[in-house]
Amino acid sequence: MGAQSAGPLVVGVDSSTQSTKTLVVDADTGVVVARGQAPHTVSGGDGKESDPAQWWRALGEALRQCGAAARQATALSVAGQQHGLVTLDAAGAPVRPALLWNDVRPAPQSARLIEELGGPKAWADRVGSVPAPAFTVAKWAWLRANEPAAAAATRAVRLPHDYLTERLTGEAVTDRGDASGTGWWASATESYDTAILNHVGLDPAVLPRVALPGEAAGTVHTGDLPLPRGALVAAGTGDNMAAALGLGLLPGQPVLSLGTSGTVYAVSGRRPADPSGTVAGFADARGDWLPLACTLNCTLAVDRIAALLGRDREAVEPGGDAVVLPFLDGERTPNLPGASGLVHGLRHDTTAGQLLQAAYDGAVFALLKALDQVLDEDAAAGAPLLLIGGGAKGRAWRETVRRLSGRPVAVPDAQELVALGAAAQAAGLLLGEDPAAVARRWGTARGARYAARERDASAWERLAGTLADGDTLLRR
């Protein structure tokens, strides 16, 4: 156990693609008194899958690392990776490994669903989003088409955070934030869309109920984990919604997250409905909205290019006209699920450092281009970009964002913002407060600030031109 606490203790859980992290936090001050982490494994190849049972084991291991502090917690919340399809049988055991958000095999089902149910605008108006291959509805359609026996054996469908919450409480509960990434929860009505469910052959009875913001999912009913029985369990939410809570975001504050995937988002009071499909019209965990765009290729893609070049990830050099679009895993934004990486403009005098910088530029360009569509009238033009995620610690990432955005940049000191946001949700439930206000009281967004730099318009134009001219290659 680390720092001492004065107030009640809460636990925030971040069940991500690669690991489960747990924080035990003083609900009054936001001081982290203990932390734990345990890894997950993800299948290789075309599919991206994980056994949900390992998430539960990782949660137990991460909590055990927190020692006595976890056993003193009075409330907890689970935030999880969005979109994942968890299929359970009649006994509540996984029918097959979960299909994860970054599994792009459902691209044909995504395209077919958009066409069959009225086109992109109809989906955006109704659901708030045009369902990309990541969306759970496309994954369910893929499962029915490719593994009909598994689909037929399914008696419950959950998102990753729902699965863990249900094992903690015995209650089938989700929240509006994570539900808004399924493709079968309609933002226009804030309810499950029975017409979409009928179309994909999914009985609404197999889905969890959607808790209201501030509502509990239940209490801890299992003795399998080092948690007190009867501790309050919040409804939880998706990882991006939790990070927004963890920062205590006010409407219009832009966030750029640099991790395995890259995301840009902002809280808004207006329900988003982007027919281009670039912006996902997510709900947040509080009752507002979280328009968000996500790229599949961010820190890991740039690290891979650094490794191919035999350079440290920070060993970038300025200059040159090379362009790299690092779409190594296919891409979601722009919607190019079959794409591979594209390099253009090499010359005899192009250096390895310039090529690495071009890879950073390509990854950041895709995010900033999407940010222009994420932000609405709530957003102040000169508001600093909040830079979070693992990449935010890297100078090359930060300076690339400054150079291509022309905006000031702020890097919060707080780490593990998804788990902190889950902890803020748990504290809000326990104390009867708005969880975003709890996070603001904790001062989670404090950190280093960097002034705006002049925007590199020539680099931006090279990137935009290469993306447009390379369209045929990128769609093969």
Side-chain angles (χ1 to χ4, degrees):
M1 192 158 161
Q4 294 302 302
S5 66
L9 297 180
V10 295
V11 175
V13 178
D14 171 11
S15 181
S16 72
T17 316
Q18 305 291 338
S19 69
T20 293
K21 297 175 185 173
T22 53
L23 297 181
V24 184
V25 180
D26 183 316
D28 286 343
T29 63
V31 170
V32 175
V33 300
R35 50 174 38 94
Q37 181 170 357
H40 303 162
T41 56
V42 178
S43 68
D46 291 340
K48 298 289 184 282
E49 302 181 354
S50 285
D51 175 8
Q54 72 166 318
W55 304 336
W56 180 252
R57 292 191 295 270
L59 174 59
E61 172 57 28
L63 286 168
R64 279 186 283 279
Q65 291 172 21
C66 293
R71 292 189 291 274
Q72 296 165 18
T74 50
L76 74 151
S77 171
V78 178
Q81 53 179 311
Q82 288 186 248
H83 302 307
L85 176 68
V86 180
T87 49
L88 306 176
D89 63 18
V95 171
R96 69 177 313 287
L99 274 69
L100 304 186
W101 63 274
N102 53 348
D103 191 326
V104 295
R105 288 177 296 175
Q109 285 75 25
S110 163
R112 197 173 306 128
L113 285 170
I114 293 165
E115 182 183 346
E116 289 170 351
L117 290 177
K121 186 175 189 307
W123 275 92
D125 289 346
R126 185 168 171 174
V127 171
S129 302
V130 182
F135 274 54
T136 327
V137 69
K139 290 177 165 35
W140 174 254
W142 181 91
L143 190 70
R144 286 186 81 212
N146 292 274
E147 298 180 17
T154 297
R155 296 291 177 270
V157 169
R158 302 289 182 260
L159 295 164
H161 111 259
D162 311 341
Y163 169 79
L164 293 170
T165 299
E166 186 168 10
R167 289 199 65 169
L168 283 163
T169 64
E171 303 291 337
V173 178
T174 190
D175 89 301
R176 70 194 287 274
D178 215 2
S180 67
T182 58
W184 54 60
W185 184 88
S187 66
T189 59
E190 300 219 22
S191 62
Y192 290 132
D193 190 309
T194 52
I196 292 173
L197 291 170
N198 287 338
H199 187 79
V200 297
L202 193 59
D203 183 347
V206 308
L207 299 176
R209 77 176 179 89
V210 183
L212 296 171
E215 190 181 352
T219 58
V220 174
H221 84 130
T222 176
D224 294 349
L225 300 179
L227 292 167
R229 281 180 183 267
L232 272 175
V233 180
T237 194
D239 51 5
N240 290 300
M241 297 80 195
L245 282 185
L247 289 164
L249 286 189
L250 293 166
Q253 169 65 65
V255 178
L256 200 155
S257 176
L258 302 165
T260 306
S261 65
T263 51
V264 285
Y265 57 83
V267 170
S268 175
R270 299 173 176 84
R271 184 179 79 89
D274 172 22
S276 79
T278 299
V279 179
F282 293 146
D284 77 351
R286 293 177 56 256
D288 285 324
W289 303 95
L290 195 73
L292 176 147
C294 175
T295 64
L296 294 182
N297 298 277
C298 195
T299 56
L300 289 185
V302 172
D303 283 353
R304 180 65 187 137
I305 290 168
L308 287 170
L309 294 169
R311 293 182 79 81
D312 180 88
R313 65 165 65 108
E314 291 287 329
V316 295
E317 295 172 5
D321 294 326
V323 173
V324 177
L325 299 176
F327 301 157
L328 307 189
D329 289 323
E331 190 45 79
R332 171 172 164 174
T333 306
N335 186 21
L336 298 163
S340 55
L342 184 66
V343 180
H344 176 68
L346 289 185
R347 301 289 185 189
H348 278 288
D349 60 355
T350 303
T351 68
Q354 289 170 344
L355 202 57
L356 179 57
Q357 179 62 65
Y360 278 96
D361 285 5
V364 169
F365 166 76
L367 285 165
L368 291 176
K369 195 167 184 292
L371 181 65
D372 291 340
Q373 291 172 256
V374 164
L375 295 176
D376 61 19
E377 306 95 292
D378 288 333
L385 275 176
L386 279 180
L387 210 57
I388 64 169
K393 302 170 193 168
R395 184 178 184 278
W397 281 109
R398 184 183 72 239
E399 293 307 310
T400 303
V401 170
R402 289 178 71 201
R403 202 183 90 253
L404 289 180
S405 72
R407 282 178 176 265
V409 166
V411 182
D413 291 332
Q415 302 299 315
E416 297 150 337
L417 283 162
V418 173
L420 261 184
Q425 189 187 50
L429 177 65
L430 183 69
L431 303 173
E433 289 186 50
D434 170 5
V438 169
R440 290 194 290 275
R441 177 159 57 76
W442 291 352
T444 54
R446 284 196 293 262
R449 293 184 171 260
Y450 302 89
R453 288 179 54 178
E454 185 179 354
R455 191 158 170 265
D456 188 342
S458 61
W460 186 276
E461 285 162 16
R462 280 198 305 276
L463 284 153
T466 303
L467 179 61
D469 293 345
D471 188 72
T472 302
L473 283 172
L474 293 165
R475 290 187 187 280
R476 275 188 185 156

